[in-house]
Structure formats: structure tokens, C-alpha cells
Amino acid sequence: MEITNHVFEEIKDPTGIMVGKRYEFLLDVEVDEEDELYTPGGLELRVILAADDNGTRIVHYNVIDKLSRNVLEFALEDDEEAEVLAYCTSSL
């Protein structure tokens, strides 16, 4: 899996309920044709990141087929999730 591009924005909490900050990342991802996540049109990861006194963590993510815009029912492996977290954290 290779992250090729991204955009992100801070999610505003007008209620003040959330502790810390939240960010939404949209990551363009390329995977090898042999990978179970592979789709011909490519993939996008939508990642919600939380940053507070306890550190930074992924609180939610979706794997999205770029062509159909369908959410795919796949979970990232632990090493892939760690890679995504490191990438997003370095982009803040």
C-alpha cells in the first residue's frame, strides 16, 4: 500500500463535546494488483484522527472505491493502520 496524495481538514465541534481535536483525512492509496484491496479505479481512505492529551489515534476509517464511491468492507492490517497513522500525524 502506498499513499500518493492527501487532503485534510480540522473537524469543528460547535457543541464542545469532543475532547481535543479531530481531523478528517482523504488519502489516495495505490495497492498492488495482487492485494485483496485492489480495485481497477483505485482506492481512497477516509480517516478520522483524534488528537488530545493522550496522543494521536485513528478513531474511524473507511476504504472507498474511487470509481463507484462505495465503501468497501475491508479492515486494514495492523501494520497498514500504523503506516496510515504515521502518515497522517506527520501531515498535521
Side-chain angles (χ1 to χ4, degrees):
M1 177 175 81
E2 180 183 354
I3 300 169
T4 59
N5 196 16
H6 75 277
V7 294
F8 77 97
E9 65 180 325
E10 184 175 348
I11 299 171
K12 303 294 182 190
D13 176 21
T15 64
I17 295 173
M18 294 188 299
V19 175
K21 295 185 177 191
R22 298 289 188 276
Y23 302 92
E24 177 184 39
F25 280 80
L26 297 175
L27 307 173
D28 289 326
V29 178
E30 288 183 9
V31 295
D32 188 80
E33 287 185 34
E34 309 283 320
D35 194 304
E36 66 180 334
L37 287 175
Y38 177 79
T39 61
L43 294 175
E44 180 177 80
L45 289 176
R46 178 180 176 264
V47 180
I48 305 297
L49 204 68
D52 57 28
D53 293 340
N54 296 319
T56 304
R57 65 194 180 287
I58 295 173
V59 292
H60 185 77
Y61 66 86
N62 294 108
V63 180
I64 301 167
D65 181 320
K66 282 178 144 182
L67 285 181
S68 68
R69 303 305 300 160
N70 290 330
V71 173
L72 305 176
E73 297 298 321
F74 286 105
L76 297 176
E77 294 180 9
D78 290 341
D79 61 328
E80 292 170 326
E81 196 169 321
E83 179 183 343
V84 168
L85 178 60
Y87 182 91
C88 293
T89 302
S90 72
S91 298
L92 292 176

